[in-house]
Amino acid sequence: MTLEQLYITADNLNITVIDMFCPASGSVSLKTDEGCCFIGLDDGTGTCEEKKVRLAHEIGHCATDSFYSRHTLLDNIRKHERRADKWAINSIIPLDELIDEFKYDYVEPWEIADYFGVTLDYVDKALKLYGFIE
């Protein structure tokens, strides 16, 4: 899934994505009391790959209703973050496409990251999620 396709996905899920100054994290998502989801994405921070990963992750929060506050217990925060990551990974590094890349001899993490247009960190998370590494 490309960055453009992620924006379309957000639109299809009725998620409003706005450009905002957010240098510390690069992105943030929230859900209003009325159930509307918003994503703030700092377009001036990071590489194209980092923006893609951040947007996918924030859509993951909205798509899985995985939100938390500063009062949430750390264990629950980790669960919400993992759900958002899992949604993002399944969307931008689908297992079937990853297996196809292995067949074409794309086995180095940087090759996989380059093919999917994501960060090396997210390739590592995907390989762990899918059980290829521990």
Side-chain angles (χ1 to χ4, degrees), residues 95-108:
L95 179 58
D96 56 339
E97 286 185 44
L98 181 60
I99 290 170
D100 284 346
E101 291 314 297
F102 289 149
K103 291 177 186 174
Y104 291 113
D105 248 0
Y106 289 100
V107 294
E108 294 296 327

Side-chain angles (χ1 to χ4, degrees), residues 17-68:
V17 180
I18 58 173
D19 183 25
M20 66 179 279
F21 184 67
C22 190
S25 64
S27 62
V28 64
S29 58
L30 63 89
K31 183 177 180 181
T32 66
D33 291 338
E34 294 79 24
C36 298
C37 288
F38 293 88
I39 294 173
L41 193 63
D42 192 338
D43 203 29
T45 303
T47 65
C48 184
E49 294 82 6
E50 290 167 334
K51 290 174 194 171
K52 179 179 176 178
V53 165
R54 285 196 311 258
L55 180 57
H57 177 82
E58 299 303 342
I59 293 172
H61 277 293
C62 296
T64 62
D65 200 28
S66 297
F67 296 98
Y68 54 88

Side-chain angles (χ1 to χ4, degrees), residues 60-104:
H61 277 293
C62 296
T64 62
D65 200 28
S66 297
F67 296 98
Y68 54 88
S69 73
R70 61 187 171 143
H71 303 293
T72 306
L73 296 174
L74 186 57
D75 284 348
N76 288 336
I77 291 173
R78 288 184 182 134
K79 288 177 187 177
H80 291 300
E81 288 297 329
R82 181 162 168 75
R83 277 189 211 131
D85 276 337
K86 186 176 180 181
W87 186 96
I89 289 166
N90 285 322
S91 298
I92 61 177
I93 310 174
L95 179 58
D96 56 339
E97 286 185 44
L98 181 60
I99 290 170
D100 284 346
E101 291 314 297
F102 289 149
K103 291 177 186 174
Y104 291 113

Side-chain angles (χ1 to χ4, degrees), residues 93 97-98 101-102 104-120 123 127:
I93 310 174
E97 286 185 44
L98 181 60
E101 291 314 297
F102 289 149
Y104 291 113
D105 248 0
Y106 289 100
V107 294
E108 294 296 327
W110 67 267
E111 292 173 311
I112 296 167
D114 188 51
Y115 175 79
F116 287 103
V118 299
T119 62
L120 281 171
V123 169
L127 294 174

